[in-house]
Amino acid sequence: MNPFSPQVKSIEAFQHDLEPTIIAARNELVTAENFMAYKDNYSISKYMDDGKDLYSLHSRMFFFTELDTDHIREIYSERLIPLGFKLTEEHWTSDGVEIVDYMWINEEYHAVVSATTRLGEQTSTYYYTQGNPSDGSTSDPKQLIDQPGRIPDWFDPNLPPADQK
């Protein structure tokens, strides 16, 4: 291990330290009024790298009608930048539609929060980690820690995902 590279925080630390803030910001942006659809579910996967167990958390992707990219950037940046996230922003055109893609990246936790807006259509948002060790504080690192708001109160779990309608 390189003594000059920072130690990656654990999957449990991500859920305790950063995920509640990410969820709160996301729930401010995605509401019952602007929710359109979702894709995937929350999961933590385990894999081996160089003989070590590592974990990646992937959140559900929400599609919603908020198209004010300044508002989206402001809400996430206000909450995530103080936690060590850095914002990257890209703009491009696809099939004649302008795309604005924001990614807040926290290297210490190997975490990414993404919000992509197809102007005039929809926005999608999700978050993930990649390559986090376990700190051993839970008996099963693949088990999600109970997070208030992870599943918003207004969300209907009986809705089929966007790709299954």
Side-chain angles (χ1 to χ4, degrees), residues 30-31 34-38 63-65 121-123 159 165:
V30 183
T31 65
N34 69 13
F35 169 76
M36 295 173 63
Y38 75 97
F63 298 92
F64 58 112
T65 59
E121 294 181 19
Q122 67 184 14
T123 296
L159 288 172
K165 286 187 175 181

Side-chain angles (χ1 to χ4, degrees), residues 35-59:
F35 169 76
M36 295 173 63
Y38 75 97
K39 182 177 173 187
D40 300 327
N41 208 338
Y42 296 90
S43 66
I44 298 176
S45 57
K46 174 182 170 181
Y47 61 96
M48 296 278 291
D49 187 18
D50 201 21
K52 296 179 182 153
D53 289 339
L54 296 177
Y55 300 86
S56 293
L57 183 149
H58 292 271
S59 79

Side-chain angles (χ1 to χ4, degrees), residues 30-140:
V30 183
T31 65
E33 291 75 32
N34 69 13
F35 169 76
M36 295 173 63
Y38 75 97
K39 182 177 173 187
D40 300 327
N41 208 338
Y42 296 90
S43 66
I44 298 176
S45 57
K46 174 182 170 181
Y47 61 96
M48 296 278 291
D49 187 18
D50 201 21
K52 296 179 182 153
D53 289 339
L54 296 177
Y55 300 86
S56 293
L57 183 149
H58 292 271
S59 79
R60 172 174 285 144
M61 179 183 286
F62 286 94
F63 298 92
F64 58 112
T65 59
E66 175 63 66
L67 302 177
D68 182 346
T69 56
D70 290 337
H71 179 67
I72 294 164
R73 182 181 59 235
E74 178 184 302
I75 294 295
Y76 273 135
S77 290
E78 210 171 76
R79 288 151 184 82
L80 300 180
I81 290 174
L83 297 176
F85 283 83
K86 291 184 176 30
L87 172 62
T88 65
E89 180 177 334
E90 291 184 28
H91 297 255
W92 73 91
T93 302
S94 174
D95 298 326
V97 176
E98 185 181 351
I99 309 290
V100 179
D101 188 33
Y102 296 121
M103 290 179 64
W104 291 264
I105 301 168
N106 184 305
E107 292 195 19
E108 186 179 23
Y109 288 83
H110 283 197
V112 175
V113 177
S114 172
T116 303
T117 302
R118 292 180 59 87
L119 292 177
E121 294 181 19
Q122 67 184 14
T123 296
S124 65
T125 190
Y126 68 101
Y127 57 93
Y128 64 92
T129 69
Q130 187 153 355
N132 303 80
S134 171
D135 61 21
S137 64
T138 61
S139 59
D140 181 4

